[in-house]
Amino acid sequence: MIIVMHPGASKKQLKEVIDRIEELGYTPHVIHGETRNVIGAIGDERGKARLQYLEALPGVERVVPILRPYKLASIEVKDERAGERSIIHVAEGVDVGGPRITVIAGPCSVESRESLLHIAAEVRDAGALMLRGGAYKPRTSPYAFQGLEAEGLRYLAEAREQTGLPVVTEVVNPEDVDLVYEFVDVLQVGARNVQNFALLKRLGSLDKPILLKRGMMTTIDEFLMSAEYILSAGNDRVILCERGIRTFETATRNTLDISAVPVLKERTHLPFIVDPSHASGHWQYVHPLSLAAVAAGADGIMVEVHPEPEIAMCDGPQSLKPGKFRELMQALEKIADAVGRKI
Ligand code: PEP
Ligand code: MN
């Protein structure tokens, strides 16, 4: 259920409603909107009729059920008519979900200090807003490069110092969360971990944004339920990422579900980006798919960039060389302009 407060409701009235929700055995989540506040009352669905009576409290405009299985992630908790959507603040000048398209770029994995610093400067100069790089790599083969781990985190922090770009990296294991938290601005959940509920709950206790990737075999609603795990554990800064799903098609590594873009826009207030690198698996498709993503309404893209893809330790075939990345940024500017956004 969500309890929609009147635009002019006082803090005291809000507090009273929160207290009553707790008395009824539900957990209140206050969502501060531009025009008014709403409170999500989360708990056992069976007793929800009792919440209906909160409509009689001063300051309450209405009490409405959330029909979707995810609650806090649902568009229904925001004032859709006012076009309210979440904007996730990452760092000074970097917000995901606002008018500006967020371009995240960098190598698949952090390979060495020198190469990371080099790529970071390249992508920053080309206009990327955030640097990506995996320190913990969830590889299909146990014999493949697994990442530099803590050493990689230190290089990411150094790259941030040098370039000013906030950094995002994947955390695979709940035990590593504290360490990763110390070094990066955004913690990423990879496709293979989208339903690792222990990890999601742990990330829900943090005060840093989470980049949640869709699994290769999760439906959009399952994906949003995973987001709900993080939100319901207390962290409301979730950025979603469509990265391709598994289909019968083998010409590309995965199939970019471009339909997910308008569907997500309709179902959730959370911002979302598209990762055309993992979706396609081939660098030559990354450019057109990136344009398609922004044209369809994505809030950003995440792209792998490597100066020497032939010798990259991971995902070379889908990595853009810096020159191609610059070309992409120029083309994106025109698409962003056409859909009323900017780069
Ligand atoms: C990544 O972004 O580095 C990655 C491993 O992607 P995914 O989890 O989408 O496969
Ligand atoms: Mn990769």
Side-chain angles (χ1 to χ4, degrees):
M1 291 290 225
I2 52 171
I3 292 85
V4 182
M5 302 299 291
H6 277 299
S10 67
K11 277 192 181 149
K12 187 164 167 279
Q13 290 171 335
L14 184 73
K15 169 90 173 55
E16 251 165 49
V17 178
I18 290 171
D19 291 346
R20 293 293 285 277
I21 291 172
E22 281 172 345
E23 274 165 36
L24 289 169
Y26 288 80
T27 308
H29 286 269
V30 182
I31 298 144
H32 299 283
E34 269 166 42
T35 48
R36 63 209 173 139
N37 295 318
V38 303
I39 312 168
I42 307 300
D44 189 344
E45 285 291 288
R46 285 166 300 179
K48 68 180 182 208
R50 287 176 299 161
L51 290 166
Q52 202 66 52
Y53 297 107
L54 296 179
E55 222 162 56
L57 290 183
V60 174
E61 186 182 286
R62 63 203 151 94
V63 175
V64 278
I66 302 178
L67 302 174
R68 304 233 183 240
Y70 38 87
K71 308 294 175 190
L72 300 170
S74 171
I75 190 87
E76 296 166 281
V77 299
K78 292 276 179 177
D79 188 349
E80 258 180 281
R81 286 159 302 178
E84 261 187 31
R85 309 191 64 82
S86 287
I87 296 176
I88 310 295
H89 179 66
V90 174
E92 179 73 33
V94 182
D95 293 304
V96 187
R100 196 162 179 198
I101 299 294
T102 310
V103 178
I104 306 173
C108 176
S109 62
V110 179
E111 299 180 0
S112 70
R113 178 176 172 273
E114 292 65 34
S115 70
L116 183 71
L117 296 180
H118 172 74
I119 300 172
E122 289 273 9
V123 301
R124 192 255 336 258
D125 293 349
L129 283 187
M130 219 188 290
L131 175 69
R132 63 147 289 142
Y136 296 85
K137 296 305 302 175
R139 305 301 298 277
T140 302
S141 164
Y143 308 120
F145 174 57
Q146 305 283 311
L148 295 182
E149 303 186 345
E151 188 187 342
L153 296 176
R154 286 197 293 278
Y155 300 154
L156 283 166
E158 194 176 341
R160 179 188 39 217
E161 291 282 297
Q162 283 203 8
T163 60
L165 295 179
V167 295
V168 53
T169 204
E170 177 168 354
V171 57
V172 177
N173 189 334
E175 285 168 20
D176 298 326
V177 168
D178 289 335
L179 187 66
V180 174
Y181 175 91
E182 253 183 69
F183 287 93
V184 305
D185 303 275
V186 177
L187 291 89
Q188 176 176 324
V189 179
R192 290 155 193 81
N193 264 319
V194 69
Q195 289 188 317
N196 180 340
F197 302 118
L199 179 64
L200 299 178
K201 283 185 200 169
R202 180 73 189 81
L203 295 173
S205 69
L206 304 184
D207 58 3
K208 285 192 179 178
I210 309 300
L211 177 63
L212 178 66
K213 296 189 95 176
R214 181 180 179 186
M216 51 197 96
M217 286 182 288
T218 43
T219 64
I220 292 173
D221 276 358
E222 285 164 349
F223 183 30
L224 290 173
M225 288 307 278
S226 291
E228 189 79 10
Y229 265 91
I230 302 171
L231 299 170
S232 63
N235 186 348
D236 60 3
R237 292 159 81 197
V238 178
I239 303 159
L240 304 169
C241 179
E242 156 62 37
R243 47 76 73 205
I245 52 173
R246 202 160 260 191
T247 67
F248 55 82
E249 183 55 72
T250 54
T252 48
R253 182 176 177 182
N254 293 284
T255 299
L256 176 61
D257 183 10
I258 199 77
S259 317
V261 172
V263 174
L264 285 169
K265 197 142 234 165
E266 190 177 74
R267 294 189 184 190
T268 182
H269 56 88
L270 297 171
F272 51 87
I273 64 169
V274 166
D275 170 352
S277 306
H278 291 90
S280 67
H282 297 272
W283 70 267
Q284 60 275 38
Y285 306 141
V286 169
H287 183 111
L289 293 178
S290 300
L291 302 190
V294 172
D299 296 302
I301 54 163
M302 179 154 88
V303 179
E304 288 183 341
V305 175
H306 199 288
E308 293 175 287
E310 323 70 60
I311 56 164
M313 291 171 104
C314 184
D315 288 349
Q318 67 194 34
S319 299
L320 292 182
K321 288 189 178 177
K324 292 278 178 216
F325 178 63
R326 281 196 295 276
E327 282 172 25
L328 171 61
M329 290 301 290
Q330 282 158 13
L332 274 176
E333 214 172 305
K334 295 195 194 103
I335 302 290
D337 189 49
V339 294
R341 315 271 305 251
K342 51 184 195 279
I343 287 284

